[in-house]
Amino acid sequence: MISIYYHNLMILHGNGILNNYKLLPALVSILQTLNLTESAKQLNVTQSAMSKTLNQLREDFHDKIIVREANKFILTQKGEKLKAQLPILMQQLDDLYAPESMEPGSCKRVFTLASSDYVAQSILPSIFHRIETDAPNASLEYTLWHKENLNKFAEQHIDLVTTIADTIPDNLYGKLMAEDQLAVVFRNTAAHSDKEMTIDDYINGRHILISGGGDKNSPVDHELAMMDLKRHIFATVPFFQSAIELLLKTDTLLTLPLHIAADFAQHHDLRVKRLPFEVQAHRYYLLWHAKHHQDPEHQWFREICFPLIQSHLDRTIKQGMKIIHADQ
């Protein structure tokens, strides 16, 4: 197996052999950030040391790798090739040292999960509890997910993402967790709180958008555009909780997945109504890159996350269905 990786490094390097494989993490960082200062911070070294590393890499690869253009750096052709191939090769090299089985008590890995701030608030504590109980030496980093990263997953330092998706890229694995519809939420004192919401109510309302945590609202605006309609956006905020706080103090509307609407309605004086027109259901997936699929530690981590997230979805979707049926 070593010969395969050695052969791949030969292809990447051209006519020579990289003098020091320990420089590869620095190279990966430089290729991703195109910024020596940022790479130095990531690797906890000085910028001077990072500059020396880049000079060594340029000498080893007989190529500039990155070159300055105006006030920024761009990749050379060799740099583009290295950026495409190195992350997978680095994972293959890491896999040589990976344990064949998972021993939670001895796991010291830092796992990374990406999703919305809603998942961080509502589900993440349960995931942390399981990790603390089963693998006390492991740790977890949480990062907000951005929908544009789906096709750049290999470049992200992410183990798992929970997200809405219609299709899954070929380099990813995924498990469908649930399907959910959209609903409209507003404070209970609003004028239309006791009647069925019409499309005129919806169009004439003032809407709050949530910019973080994935693509929740584009199906709404797409369907409205098909009807030659457009809603008025009153405010755009980054987080679910900030949207709810704004909703409670203004006569506004918030379009949310039903399970999230139902969850917030359990804790705040809110009304939940059906969306007054049809949109495609949201499909919620747990996704991971193919390079992690056979990793025993990663498999253990996703087997913790999947049932906790799925059970939360199932429970809150059922709550939401009860709310909108009772309101009819």
Side-chain angles (χ1 to χ4, degrees):
M1 185 178 291
I2 290 290
S3 63
I4 297 174
Y5 304 131
Y6 182 80
H7 174 69
N8 288 340
L9 282 171
M10 288 284 288
I11 292 174
L12 286 171
H13 190 251
N15 295 326
I17 299 176
L18 186 63
N19 291 329
N20 189 349
Y21 295 161
K22 292 181 180 179
L23 299 182
L24 285 176
L27 176 57
V28 171
S29 178
I30 291 169
L31 293 171
Q32 290 176 347
T33 65
L34 296 179
N35 186 306
L36 293 185
T37 301
E38 183 63 29
S39 290
K41 289 180 181 178
Q42 286 184 1
L43 299 176
N44 197 29
V45 299
T46 65
Q47 187 169 350
S48 174
M50 185 59 66
S51 296
K52 291 179 181 178
T53 297
L54 177 59
N55 289 335
Q56 182 63 57
L57 288 164
R58 284 170 165 170
E59 180 179 333
D60 288 347
F61 283 97
H62 309 293
D63 189 88
K64 290 288 188 181
I65 301 176
I66 60 172
V67 294
R68 184 175 291 279
E69 182 177 275
N71 61 345
K72 64 179 181 180
F73 283 102
I74 63 172
L75 296 174
T76 65
Q77 185 175 0
K78 168 67 79 171
E80 293 283 1
K81 185 176 181 180
L82 288 167
K83 184 178 180 180
Q85 296 185 29
L86 263 178
I88 295 175
L89 177 59
M90 291 291 289
Q91 186 61 48
Q92 290 174 331
L93 289 169
D94 287 343
D95 287 346
L96 290 176
Y97 297 94
E100 294 300 321
S101 61
M102 170 59 177
E103 295 294 338
S106 59
C107 177
K108 297 181 179 180
R109 183 163 171 171
V110 179
F111 296 98
T112 305
L113 175 63
S115 191
S116 69
D117 63 293
Y118 172 76
V119 172
Q121 176 180 326
S122 302
I123 308 172
L124 190 60
S126 296
I127 295 174
F128 268 109
H129 175 69
R130 280 292 309 277
I131 290 176
E132 180 186 45
T133 301
D134 297 346
N137 295 313
S139 56
L140 175 60
E141 292 182 358
Y142 190 89
T143 183
L144 287 179
W145 175 248
H146 300 282
K147 60 182 180 179
E148 61 270 18
N149 288 339
L150 188 60
N151 292 313
K152 300 184 295 182
F153 209 109
E155 302 171 19
Q156 311 297 311
H157 297 292
I158 294 173
D159 288 296
L160 291 174
V161 60
T162 67
T163 187
I164 298 166
D166 295 322
T167 58
I168 302 175
D170 291 340
N171 63 332
L172 301 184
Y173 281 86
K175 294 180 71 173
L176 178 65
M177 295 185 291
E179 290 192 5
D180 193 16
Q181 61 185 282
L182 289 172
V184 187
V185 186
F186 48 88
R187 64 178 179 173
N188 205 17
T189 56
H192 45 258
S193 62
D194 291 325
K195 63 178 183 177
E196 183 177 350
M197 177 165 288
T198 68
I199 195 164
D200 285 338
D201 293 330
Y202 191 82
I203 293 302
N204 293 329
R206 297 183 302 165
H207 292 260
I208 300 171
L209 289 186
I210 301 171
S211 58
D215 186 6
K216 300 171 292 298
N217 284 280
S218 62
V220 167
D221 294 313
H222 175 75
E223 289 299 326
L224 290 176
M226 296 292 288
M227 294 182 281
D228 200 25
L229 297 172
K230 186 177 181 179
R231 57 181 173 162
H232 169 61
I233 305 303
F234 172 68
T236 300
V237 296
F239 306 123
F240 283 90
Q241 189 60 50
S242 56
I244 294 298
E245 295 298 331
L246 177 57
L247 190 71
L248 291 168
K249 292 179 173 61
T250 58
D251 288 325
T252 50
L253 303 176
L254 180 60
T255 304
L256 291 174
L258 179 59
H259 75 277
I260 299 178
D263 197 17
F264 280 121
Q266 298 293 310
H267 302 94
H268 302 282
D269 191 17
L270 298 171
R271 296 298 294 269
V272 181
K273 297 281 187 177
R274 289 183 182 273
L275 200 65
F277 51 92
E278 294 293 327
V279 296
Q280 182 178 346
H282 284 166
R283 296 168 64 87
Y284 289 90
Y285 284 91
L286 185 69
L287 302 176
W288 60 93
H289 196 276
K291 65 185 180 182
H292 296 308
H293 188 62
Q294 301 297 335
D295 180 349
E297 291 182 341
H298 192 277
Q299 183 178 358
W300 171 84
F301 179 54
R302 60 185 187 252
E303 287 177 354
I304 281 179
C305 292
F306 181 82
L308 291 172
I309 300 170
Q310 186 183 48
S311 64
H312 179 88
L313 284 167
D314 288 343
R315 176 175 55 81
T316 50
I317 289 172
K318 289 177 182 176
Q319 288 176 348
M321 295 302 294
K322 289 180 181 179
I323 290 172
I324 60 176
H325 282 128
D327 209 35
Q328 290 179 340

